[in-house]
Amino acid sequence: MREDDPRVAALRGGYRLPFDSRPAIRALGDDPSDGGAWDVLWEDLHHQSDVDEASYAAVILLARSAGGWPHRPWHLYALVATIEVERHAIQNPDCPAWLRDDYLAAMRVLKSLALDDLRGPVEPLVLRAALALVAAASGDHALAAMWTGFDESDIAEWNEDRLAYSARYRIKR
């Protein structure tokens, strides 16, 4: 898919309405932490577990852009992992044939970026989101869904319920 492909503007997002992600993704090229751009992408590419063809095109464009960013925020990995998990939900369309090869290549690129980012010091949100992306890109959608769905309190509760974590381990903060 070329970035200037006219079909991109007509693709539907999570609300099943046309959504062109290119302006928001271009804004991230200037500032990968641009909360407004991420809000637009989250809002229009994913809605209550719904994703659509614009979501898949955005993954391709994000992968092409993110390699040049000075840092990659948690939003990148969490959004893409969410899109990949929800791509397999019954109510969502599969990636169209004309995007499929580029989408799969984008997932490989993003997995590589996530693994690179995990080699150094990493913030907790980036850690969870990057792990979710690696799981999703590796085909373990159940694990990716867990990582994208659990926040810090869910993880603590799971550890207590399953492992009696606080009674068995010294907790380092």
Side-chain angles (χ1 to χ4, degrees), residues 1-11 20 22 98-99:
M1 176 193 82
R2 291 188 351 250
E3 185 174 340
D4 62 351
D5 190 316
R7 295 176 286 186
V8 173
L11 297 177
D20 187 347
R22 294 175 293 190
W98 67 277
L99 290 176

Side-chain angles (χ1 to χ4, degrees), residues 108-156:
R108 289 189 297 272
V109 165
L110 289 162
K111 179 181 177 181
S112 178
L113 291 174
L115 290 168
D116 286 346
D117 287 346
L118 290 170
R119 285 188 173 91
V122 61
E123 298 172 12
L125 285 175
V126 174
L127 173 64
R128 285 198 298 272
L131 289 170
L133 184 282
V134 170
S138 299
D140 192 335
H141 300 105
L143 182 60
M146 185 183 78
W147 277 109
T148 59
F150 277 22
D151 64 18
E152 191 171 323
S153 66
D154 295 321
I155 294 168

Side-chain angles (χ1 to χ4, degrees), residues 1-167:
M1 176 193 82
R2 291 188 351 250
E3 185 174 340
D4 62 351
D5 190 316
R7 295 176 286 186
V8 173
L11 297 177
R12 295 173 299 153
Y15 284 100
R16 310 291 192 226
L17 298 171
F19 175 67
D20 187 347
S21 63
R22 294 175 293 190
I25 293 171
R26 280 193 289 272
L28 294 172
D30 295 330
D31 178 9
S33 297
D34 182 336
W38 284 115
D39 287 347
V40 166
L41 293 173
W42 274 106
E43 177 71 20
D44 289 305
L45 295 175
H46 173 260
H47 176 70
Q48 298 181 347
S49 300
D50 290 340
V51 297
D52 212 318
E53 295 172 348
S55 310
Y56 311 141
V59 168
I60 296 165
L61 297 170
L62 285 166
R64 290 178 183 163
S65 184
W69 295 350
H71 67 282
R72 286 171 284 279
W74 68 270
H75 296 282
L76 170 68
Y77 298 129
L79 178 60
V80 172
T82 299
I83 290 168
E84 174 58 11
V85 167
E86 298 304 341
R87 180 172 74 91
H88 298 279
I90 294 167
Q91 79 273 11
N92 292 323
D94 198 5
C95 190
W98 67 277
L99 290 176
R100 189 169 297 120
D101 289 344
D102 288 337
Y103 179 85
L104 295 173
M107 290 301 295
R108 289 189 297 272
V109 165
L110 289 162
K111 179 181 177 181
S112 178
L113 291 174
L115 290 168
D116 286 346
D117 287 346
L118 290 170
R119 285 188 173 91
V122 61
E123 298 172 12
L125 285 175
V126 174
L127 173 64
R128 285 198 298 272
L131 289 170
L133 184 282
V134 170
S138 299
D140 192 335
H141 300 105
L143 182 60
M146 185 183 78
W147 277 109
T148 59
F150 277 22
D151 64 18
E152 191 171 323
S153 66
D154 295 321
I155 294 168
E157 180 180 339
W158 190 93
N159 277 326
E160 282 305 314
D161 291 349
R162 303 289 177 123
L163 305 174
Y165 191 82
S166 63

